[in-house]
Amino acid sequence: MRNRIQQQFFIQFFGFCMLTVFAVYGQDKYLDKKGVIVFEASEKLFEEVKAKNESVTAIFDVSKNEIASLALIRGFRFKNSLMQEHFNENYIESDLYPKAIFRGKISDFDLNDLGSGSKEYTIKGVLEIREQKKSIVPVVHIQLINGVISLQGSFKVLPQDFDIQIPKIVANKIAKEVMVRFDFKLLANEED
Amino acid sequence: MKKTKTHLFLAISGLLVSLIGYGYFYLNQTHRNIQAEEVKYTVTSSEMAESFRKPGAKTNIADQVIQTKGRITALGEKSVTLDKRVNVLFLKKLPADLKKGREVTIKGRCVGYDDLLDVVKVDQALLIEHFELNINRLEYE
């Protein structure tokens, strides 16, 4: 009798340990499949040069504080369809270079430090577009809301950083600096 | 003499108006309507993934209108994942009775391959048909 109870206890305890291990393991990676990136290079008095991608992938590994994000170039949508066509065909050449990828690390981040308010951090990382790598250090605001990590931030890049030539005829209609904003809502073990 | 001048003036102004009109429509074209376009490729989810994964393969389905069939492995309000390989974003909200495990056929634009998640992305999609999952198939899985 006593043996049986011990046995049962052992099984339950073992099961509980396994569950804890899996739960902790599973929560290392936070994922967003529908992240948002907006970039803008508008000049005053001219038509806005702005596009939005609403299906950006972002993965945040909280055990290593590493973040990776991927945006498919063809997923960027402009208001003006001709601008979108030129962006894909002439500027980025999305058939040859279909994606933009960022990999970085957040310094001094600890998930347990996050309260209800948002905190400011910097991510040191590399953005790669058209096989050109550019180091960027975006400032991000991180907040934990009901188990969802909200990550919002921005940075600036230049078209030349990625070997993109802006033809003279449109040079004054496109800002020299491109402002990029991102908004990720990362979930642990996200299904969809 | 006067007549030819008037004619010339009319011809030039007519040309100008049509040029401006053409320019206006050229600059303000509407976006592609994926739903109205014909399906260019009918592919399985694994064929889609393979076409991007093979090194050096020509990824000719990117930006094309495709039709594919698969089992729902993840479900959102306006999105599904088919066979864990294809991520589909719909234009409209999905019917509420749609469940995981169902087989669906969709039409949409192939955006490209996401190598972080190892999935092919499709957007501006439309649900063509959905079936109950075949019971026999469940038993063998």
Side-chain angles (χ1 to χ4, degrees), chain B residues 106-133:
Chain B
I106 62 106
K107 172 189 174 183
R109 177 191 69 144
C110 179
V111 192
Y113 173 64
D114 178 336
D115 49 5
L116 276 185
L117 294 176
D118 189 24
V119 293
V120 177
K121 287 195 170 175
V122 173
D123 70 358
Q124 299 166 64
L126 179 78
L127 192 63
I128 293 182
E129 52 194 19
H130 58 287
F131 312 99
E132 286 287 346
L133 175 66

Side-chain angles (χ1 to χ4, degrees), chain A residues 31 33-34 55-57 59 68-70 72 74-75 77-82 84 99 103 191-192, chain B residues 26-27 29-31 63 74-76 79-81 87 89 100 109 111-117 121 124:
Chain A
L31 181 68
K33 290 185 200 169
K34 294 189 210 89
S55 56
V56 179
T57 299
I59 300 173
S69 177
L70 184 146
L72 290 170
R74 291 238 181 242
R77 199 169 167 89
F78 289 73
K79 214 180 254 173
N80 182 324
S81 73
L82 193 66
Q84 186 168 322
K99 66 201 171 196
R103 282 177 205 280
E191 280 288 278
D192 207 323
Chain B
Y26 177 72
L27 291 174
Q29 293 168 38
T30 50
H31 277 276
D63 208 36
L75 182 64
S79 66
V80 294
T81 304
N87 221 316
L89 270 177
K100 272 190 204 175
R109 177 191 69 144
V111 192
Y113 173 64
D114 178 336
D115 49 5
L116 276 185
L117 294 176
K121 287 195 170 175
Q124 299 166 64

